[in-house]
Amino acid sequence: MSRSTLKSVSLLLGVTGTLLGSLLQGNLAMANAQANIQANVQSGSMSHQHAATGTLVCDSTAQPSRFQASYQVTAGTEGKTQAHQLILTRLDDTIIYQRSPVSYEAWQKNGEYIRYFPEQKRSISYRRSDLLALNIHTDIDKQFHLISPAALSQFDKGEQHQEACFTQQRYSHTSKNQQQSLALDWISELALPASLTITQGGQQLNYRLAKLTPVSQQEFNLLTSGYQDLDFADVGDSESDPFIAKMITQGFIQHGSSGFYSADGEQLEGSHDHHH
């Protein structure tokens, strides 16, 4: 998929003035998901809404505040799609997004953000004030549920159906200008999508939950312990640190207008997003 195609899919999630444009978790994280796609380029048509293949592997002991959810994400046009995996690991007030072996990120309920670099065992923490100074705004409810549960009341409610371990509620929505449509299967017990498809013109973005398991404190600690952390506010004073210098050179972090860049150094869509 071309970079322009990825960009248009990313913009699909941030169209000003439409309901769909504000539903998904912050533009920053969504754009980061697409920018960090490592590439499983696939040919062939995209699956119809709710027609994604594959059976959900799940454990019904997973709790709303302690789980690991693996999503298969596809984005693109009918003729060409790109796929990657998104793993969400939540323990109480922290949720971790893993999309790439290079780095992963954690959002906390208090609005703080941490980016982890597992190969170097280093991390960088951003306080709420850092993100605001960078003009980066996010809706924590969307970060923790992919779609804010409060938005469901604005959708058309469909049928309930039992799939794997959980009952799913079907929802749909079409924007007033008829340019965007959404189809959602929602797991109410966990406040998570089982599947989500957003369509705009020839572009389609699909999330399908493939595996859901409980997560323990010990398992969660494996993802976050043993890292040498640096506050983002101290990055400017640490450029002599080889790791910091490398990350700035590669575009992962910057102490200028925006601290969020893709793996190839291109600034992420949404980094200058001013919409709440």
Side-chain angles (χ1 to χ4, degrees):
M1 183 187 301
S2 68
R3 192 171 297 277
S4 62
T5 302
L6 282 175
K7 183 175 181 180
S8 61
V9 172
S10 175
L11 291 176
L12 162 65
L13 304 173
V15 177
T16 306
T18 68
L19 174 64
L20 294 179
S22 60
L23 288 176
L24 284 173
Q25 41 129 334
N27 290 340
L28 160 66
M30 282 306 303
N32 196 10
Q34 284 139 16
N36 280 343
I37 289 174
Q38 294 301 307
N40 296 324
V41 177
Q42 301 173 345
S43 298
S45 61
M46 294 204 48
S47 59
H48 186 268
Q49 293 176 355
H50 299 295
T53 57
T55 302
L56 169 61
V57 177
C58 65
D59 184 331
S60 59
T61 62
Q63 301 174 30
S65 61
R66 293 194 169 197
F67 63 81
Q68 184 169 87
S70 176
Y71 285 89
Q72 294 298 319
V73 185
T74 56
T77 62
E78 185 173 338
K80 193 173 185 181
T81 64
Q82 199 166 51
H84 75 287
Q85 183 181 53
L86 168 64
I87 298 175
L88 302 183
T89 306
R90 179 176 176 181
L91 187 87
D92 301 332
D93 291 340
T94 303
I95 190 162
I96 292 176
Y97 282 69
Q98 291 174 277
R99 308 179 181 92
S100 154
V102 179
S103 71
Y104 52 89
E105 56 201 344
W107 288 96
Q108 299 176 353
K109 273 289 179 75
N110 62 9
E112 295 187 1
Y113 170 90
I114 305 171
R115 188 154 191 175
Y116 294 93
F117 298 87
E119 184 180 341
Q120 297 87 357
K121 298 298 285 186
R122 299 288 296 269
S123 61
I124 298 175
S125 294
Y126 296 75
R127 301 181 189 277
R128 290 185 66 186
S129 56
D130 296 327
L131 299 177
L132 290 174
L134 293 166
N135 286 323
I136 294 168
H137 308 280
T138 191
D139 182 327
I140 293 299
D141 272 350
K142 295 172 189 173
Q143 297 292 354
F144 274 73
H145 305 283
L146 290 182
I147 284 185
S148 175
L152 299 180
S153 63
Q154 302 174 67
F155 298 164
D156 297 320
K157 198 171 183 177
E159 61 187 26
Q160 276 193 348
H161 53 105
Q162 183 70 31
E163 297 283 347
C165 303
F166 301 100
T167 300
Q168 299 178 17
Q169 175 66 54
R170 186 156 295 178
Y171 291 92
S172 61
H173 185 81
T174 302
S175 62
K176 290 182 179 179
N177 60 13
Q178 305 292 310
Q179 292 184 2
Q180 293 177 325
S181 64
L182 172 147
L184 169 69
D185 281 330
W186 182 255
I187 302 174
S188 299
E189 296 101 313
L190 298 174
L192 284 174
S195 69
L196 167 66
T197 302
I198 293 179
T199 304
Q200 176 176 296
Q203 304 283 347
Q204 192 175 88
L205 177 67
N206 176 262
Y207 282 69
R208 182 180 63 81
L209 182 60
K211 186 176 182 180
L212 181 71
T213 56
V215 68
S216 67
Q217 180 77 58
Q218 290 75 17
E219 291 167 328
F220 192 84
N221 287 347
L222 290 176
L223 291 172
T224 58
S225 62
Y227 281 79
Q228 180 183 341
D229 191 68
L230 178 70
D231 284 340
F232 175 73
D234 296 328
V235 167
D237 297 326
S238 305
E239 293 186 26
S240 59
D241 181 326
F243 165 74
I244 297 299
K246 180 181 178 181
M247 291 300 103
I248 291 176
T249 300
Q250 293 186 355
F252 275 106
I253 53 175
Q254 190 192 41
H255 50 84
S257 58
S258 171
F260 296 88
Y261 282 69
S262 67
D264 56 7
E266 180 166 320
Q267 188 172 4
L268 299 179
E269 296 296 326
S271 293
H272 293 290
D273 178 45
H274 293 273
H275 305 299
H276 294 266

